Amino acid sequence: LLETSLNEFQKLGDIWGEGFVLSLLTRFYMLSEGKGKEHVETRQKRIALARKSGDRYSLANALSGQAMNHIFHGEWDQADVALREAEQLLVEADLSMGNGQTQMWRAFLFVGRGELEKGKFELVSYIDWGNRVGEKNMQSLAVYVLGLVAEMEGDLQSALAYSQKSVGLSREIGSQG
């Protein structure tokens, strides 16, 4: 169904519709076992379309997703390049929600590189932002990652406290976490 929609948008020359369907396909392929090649190809098409359309938010969102994928594969330098471009686009467009998302991935990047203090700073900043705007879903993840960092540092009491706070936030929003 998604591929049919994609073909229809391509026939119409609707690059925004095509980009939207590509974002859905990217997520589908990311979650599907054995679809790694399709995931990368679809993400690259989505980035190219976003560049062509001039839609800074769509491009920043696609680049942020690309950065997340690089982070999950330990490709720190590639993640950093994608995050820098996404952050610049979001600043230009004055989109704080997107900035929050890139801040979360930047924190993961720092933690992955072993730069725990920088990672903690980004996570705490993200949590503060989440408190201001009322966002709790990703905030729960940020608190959880703070717990993982505390555990890496050998502070098991703080790790437990962060984990409990993360579960509490998840329960507030009805998550099964």
Side-chain angles (χ1 to χ4, degrees):
L1 182 60
L2 286 174
E3 289 171 355
T4 301
S5 296
L6 181 62
N7 290 333
E8 290 299 317
F9 283 123
Q10 288 171 338
K11 287 178 191 174
L12 293 169
D14 184 342
I15 58 177
W16 287 277
E18 191 177 345
F20 175 73
V21 173
L22 283 172
S23 72
L24 296 174
L25 275 171
T26 300
R27 289 184 185 113
F28 170 76
Y29 290 144
M30 181 176 68
L31 298 172
S32 300
E33 192 170 324
K35 295 284 187 179
K37 181 181 177 196
E38 291 91 340
H39 175 247
V40 171
E41 290 171 357
T42 304
R43 182 171 305 285
Q44 291 306 319
K45 287 179 190 174
R46 181 176 173 217
I47 290 170
L49 274 175
R51 287 189 195 288
K52 184 177 178 181
S53 75
D55 184 341
R56 291 182 290 192
Y57 178 72
S58 292
L59 180 55
N61 192 24
L63 289 166
S64 180
Q66 182 180 46
M68 177 187 68
N69 192 54
H70 287 310
I71 289 167
F72 290 155
H73 289 95
E75 299 163 345
W76 312 123
D77 293 339
Q78 296 96 319
D80 190 40
V81 169
L83 275 175
R84 286 182 193 277
E85 185 177 357
E87 289 164 342
Q88 180 60 40
L89 290 162
L90 292 166
V91 166
E92 290 171 6
D94 194 28
L95 295 165
S96 69
M97 180 61 174
N99 281 328
Q101 184 181 33
T102 58
Q103 188 173 33
M104 176 71 81
W105 303 143
R106 171 97 26 225
F108 286 4
L109 176 63
F110 286 139
V111 171
R113 284 182 164 168
E115 299 175 53
L116 301 183
E117 289 304 316
K118 289 180 180 179
K120 287 191 297 189
F121 176 81
E122 293 292 340
L123 290 165
V124 169
S125 296
Y126 181 85
I127 292 165
D128 290 344
W129 174 83
N131 284 329
R132 285 193 308 277
V133 301
E135 194 287 327
K136 292 184 181 179
N137 187 41
M138 292 293 284
Q139 192 179 152
S140 172
L141 178 59
V143 172
Y144 177 76
V145 174
L146 276 174
L148 293 176
V149 171
E151 185 178 353
M152 285 185 242
E153 295 176 328
D155 184 354
L156 299 182
Q157 187 172 9
S158 292
L160 179 61
Y162 283 127
S163 294
Q164 289 170 337
K165 183 174 180 181
S166 175
V167 169
L169 283 169
S170 294
R171 286 185 178 145
E172 283 181 36
I173 58 172
S175 174
Q176 298 298 314

